[in-house]
């Protein structure tokens, strides 16, 4: 990390990193304990591109303590078969507002637990911008995601 | 009537093969054959089978059928073996429609309200129709084949460039756009199947009944007119069929490459027949091709999916190449 700071000519790289890390941890601690039971599907873009456990979005979900329905061996951003989601039946769906069109009309999806209970986090373009770009705003992304989990994840 | 008998056999064979692939397709997905076996006792397996696998497999057949039919009509109408259904600007129009819908969605309440009603499929269909209308306006009608072809190419380039501008302005939609341009049958449900079935039936009926005119047209426009064929009216009808069939397929499944071009050639390589039969057989062939590609797309790296358009190009393309290689005769393309 110190070396990275040198390369990027950022003198206090470690301090920035600690701030981000603390921000993410704080967001994780703000969540109620039952959030760890939530099984979440994050769709990065239409066509079934999911955020896998290996992606930074998946790592963020892991830090917040929720479970990703996409198995780690599928890689960072797999394009999954829609029936995989139906089979996994997530409790909560996270999706950007650009991609949410027609989500409930997808064949077979109307019966999903998340859709029946309207447990869907629709992120505005500004929120998506923070969430889907890895960088120094990760603490902010964690807050956005935690806010959504606290609001929509309640059974 | 050797040709008639052979085409009958080919048609029956293609339908039988499609039925076999349909059965296979109902067993292929993220979980495999066991979900079919447990469908009676497991409601989720039943739902996956009934709501997802069956409609998407059938939908792939119908979309392929529409594209194959449109390809046969286009090749007959333009008397050009390289003609494909996307020739009249419908593909680029549909892509632009989807790009605009994706880029505008969520930006303003007014646009969002309209787009919710229209949906992505509606936007794609509207774009496809708009592309064809623009081509027809540029070509001043449908009577000059060459003008029509040129206008189609120009509209394709201009609308494609506009689409690129939209994606540059809103780079977030790039991945979704790529999904559309490579084609996907993943979200085809029963309602989409219904739309495509109606369109396929109507287009087949019109194209089949106009087959004789296409036969006459194959001899040249002057000959066709001297035979007393009502060329002007028929052209309008055929362009309408071409546009509607392509628009319906593209709206539901995205831009699936090569089916429309390859299906008529594949049929012709097996049986030499009249246009009336060719359009029907091309529809069956296109349907089988896309259906097989769809099953492969979800099987190869399950539970992930390959873009189905890539597979149609690989499958159809390699078969065509093999055909060309096998029967290389002087003076014949295939």
């Amino acid at each position: 990390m110190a070396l990275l700071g040198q390369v990027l000519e950022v003198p206090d790289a470690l301090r920035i990193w600690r701030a981000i890390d603390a921000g993410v941890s704080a967001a994780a601690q703000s969540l109620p304990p039952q959030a760890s039971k939530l099984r979440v599907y994050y769709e990065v873009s239409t066509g079934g591109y999911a955020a896998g456990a290996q992606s930074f979005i998946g790592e963020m979900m892991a830090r917040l303590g929720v479970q990703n329905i996409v198995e780690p061996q599928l890689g960072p951003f797999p394009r999954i078969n829609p029936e995989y989601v139906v089979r996994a039946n997530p409790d909560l769906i996270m999706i950007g507002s650009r991609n949410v069109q027609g989500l409930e009309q997808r064949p077979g999806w109307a019966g999903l637990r998340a859709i029946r209970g309207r447990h869907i986090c629709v992120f505005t373009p500004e929120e998506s911008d923070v969430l889907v770009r890895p960088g120094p705003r990760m603490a902010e992304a964690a807050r956005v995601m935690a806010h959504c989990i606290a609001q929509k994840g309640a059974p | 009537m050797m040709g008639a008998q052979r085409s009958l056999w080919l048609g029956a064979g293609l339908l039988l093969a499609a039925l076999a692939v349909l059965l296979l397709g109902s067993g292929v997905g993220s979980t495999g054959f066991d979900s079919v076996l447990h469908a009676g006792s497991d409601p989720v397996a039943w739902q996956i089978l009934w709501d997802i696998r069956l409609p998407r497999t059938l939908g792939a057949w119908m979309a392929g059928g529409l594209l194959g039919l449109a390809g046969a009509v286009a090749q007959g109408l333009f008397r050009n073996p390289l003609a494909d259904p996307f020739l009249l600007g419908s593909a680029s129009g549909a892509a632009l429609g989807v790009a605009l819908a994706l880029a505008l969605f969520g930006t303003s309440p007014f646009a969002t309200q309209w787009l919710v009603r229209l949906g992505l499929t509606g936007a794609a269909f509207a774009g496809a129709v708009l592309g064809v209308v623009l081509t027809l306006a540029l070509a001043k009608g449908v009577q000059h084949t060459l003008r029509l072809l040129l206008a189609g190419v120009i509209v394709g380039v201009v609308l494609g460039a506009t689409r690129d501008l939209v994606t540059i302005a809103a780079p977030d939609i790039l991945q979704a756009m790529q999904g559309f341009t490579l084609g996907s049958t993943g979200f085809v449900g029963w309602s989409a199947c219904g739309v495509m079935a109606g369109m396929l039936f109507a287009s087949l009926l019109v194209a089949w009944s106009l087959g004789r005119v296409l036969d006459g047209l194959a001899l040249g426009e002057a000959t066709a007119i001297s035979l007393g064929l009502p060329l002007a009216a028929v052209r309008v009808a055929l362009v309408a069929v071409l546009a509607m069939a392509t628009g319906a397929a593209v709206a539901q499944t995205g831009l699936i490459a090569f089916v429309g071009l390859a299906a008529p050639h594949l049929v012709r390589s097996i049986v030499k027949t009249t246009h009336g039969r060719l359009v029907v057989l091309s529809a069956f062939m296109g349907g089988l091709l896309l259906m097989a590609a769809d099953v492969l797309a979800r099987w190869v790296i399950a539970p992930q999916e390959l873009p189905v358009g890539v597979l149609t190009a690989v499958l159809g393309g390699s078969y065509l190449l093999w055909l060309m290689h096998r029967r290389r005769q002087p003076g014949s393309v295939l």
Side-chain angles (χ1 to χ4, degrees), chain A residues 6-20:
Chain A
Q6 257 177 14
V7 173
L8 297 172
E9 294 183 3
V10 179
D12 51 352
L14 272 173
R15 192 185 59 77
I16 294 175
W17 178 68
R18 268 189 228 110
I20 295 173

Side-chain angles (χ1 to χ4, degrees), chain A residues 44-49 74-75 78-84 86-87 97-101 106-109 111 125 133, chain B residues 29-31 42 45 47-48 51-53 56 102-103 105 115 172-173 175-176 184 186-189 298 303-305 307:
Chain A
V44 187
S45 62
T46 31
Y49 291 96
L74 294 182
R79 182 182 183 185
I80 55 171
N81 191 325
E83 62 186 66
Y84 184 90
V86 174
R87 167 64 66 187
S97 64
R98 278 195 203 286
N99 302 320
V100 75
Q101 229 171 336
R106 288 184 188 171
W109 284 43
R133 289 193 171 76
Chain B
S30 62
T31 44
D42 180 357
Q47 197 193 6
I48 285 176
D51 281 342
I52 300 182
R53 284 188 195 166
R56 84 175 274 184
L102 284 171
F105 191 76
L115 287 169
D172 294 355
I173 67 172
Q175 202 173 26
S184 165
F187 296 120
V188 175
R298 55 196 141 120
Q304 300 186 52
E305 274 195 45

Side-chain angles (χ1 to χ4, degrees), chain B:
Chain B
M1 290 298 278
M2 270 297 285
Q5 214 168 24
R6 271 192 81 163
S7 13
L8 205 66
W9 278 114
L10 178 62
L14 286 175
L15 282 182
L16 266 182
L19 196 66
V21 177
L22 175 69
L23 289 179
L24 187 71
S26 64
V28 175
S30 62
T31 44
F33 279 104
D34 53 323
S35 59
V36 181
L37 299 176
H38 300 147
S41 55
D42 180 357
V44 177
W46 173 249
Q47 197 193 6
I48 285 176
L49 192 67
W50 181 252
D51 281 342
I52 300 182
R53 284 188 195 166
L54 275 180
R56 84 175 274 184
T57 319
L58 268 179
W61 187 81
M62 286 188 274
L66 284 166
L67 290 174
L69 168 114
V73 168
Q75 290 175 10
L77 186 64
F78 297 118
R79 287 187 294 134
N80 188 332
L82 280 177
D84 81 350
F86 299 157
L87 207 64
L88 293 183
S90 48
S92 45
L96 178 61
V98 169
L100 279 175
L102 284 171
L104 291 178
F105 191 76
T107 48
S108 82
F110 179 75
T112 309
Q113 193 192 352
W114 271 101
L115 287 169
V116 165
R117 282 188 209 160
L118 199 62
L120 274 189
T121 47
F125 188 75
V129 171
L130 188 89
V132 175
V133 168
L134 210 62
T135 304
L136 294 184
L138 265 181
K140 293 182 183 155
V142 295
Q143 302 312 332
H144 292 274
T145 309
L146 195 62
R147 269 185 97 112
L148 205 54
L149 273 174
L150 266 177
V153 171
I154 292 166
V155 167
V157 170
V158 172
L159 292 188
T162 319
R163 196 263 320 257
D164 287 342
L165 273 180
V166 174
T167 42
I168 287 169
D172 294 355
I173 67 172
L174 264 173
Q175 202 173 26
M177 273 316 289
Q178 194 200 24
F180 179 77
T181 46
L182 292 177
S184 165
T185 37
F187 296 120
V188 175
W190 284 118
S191 56
C193 276
V195 171
M196 285 194 288
M199 197 65 95
L200 183 62
F201 184 70
S203 320
L204 267 179
L205 214 62
V206 176
W208 180 71
S209 58
L210 297 180
R212 287 180 61 86
V213 184
L214 283 175
D215 288 336
L217 201 57
L219 301 171
E221 286 183 23
T223 319
I225 292 169
S226 72
L227 284 171
L229 295 170
L231 218 47
V234 168
R235 270 221 187 91
V236 175
L238 285 176
V239 166
V241 165
L242 183 54
M244 297 308 270
T246 315
V250 162
Q252 304 295 348
T253 59
L255 305 183
I256 289 171
F258 219 69
V259 173
L261 179 67
H265 282 293
L266 292 177
V267 171
R268 268 189 232 115
S269 74
I270 300 170
V271 55
K272 298 269 180 270
T273 185
T274 57
H275 272 94
R277 296 195 191 104
L278 177 72
V279 285
V280 178
L281 289 177
S282 297
F284 291 174
M285 181 65 90
L288 181 62
L289 190 60
L290 186 52
M291 202 180 192
D294 172 53
V295 172
L296 270 183
R298 55 196 141 120
W299 177 59
V300 175
I301 51 166
Q304 300 186 52
E305 274 195 45
L306 285 172
V308 72
V310 173
L311 282 171
T312 54
V314 171
L315 279 178
S318 40
Y319 185 55
L320 262 183
L321 263 180
W322 178 72
L323 273 180
M324 282 170 73
H325 184 72
R326 204 185 50 165
R327 33 170 107 175
R328 194 178 295 153
Q329 291 164 351
S332 82
V333 183
L334 273 174

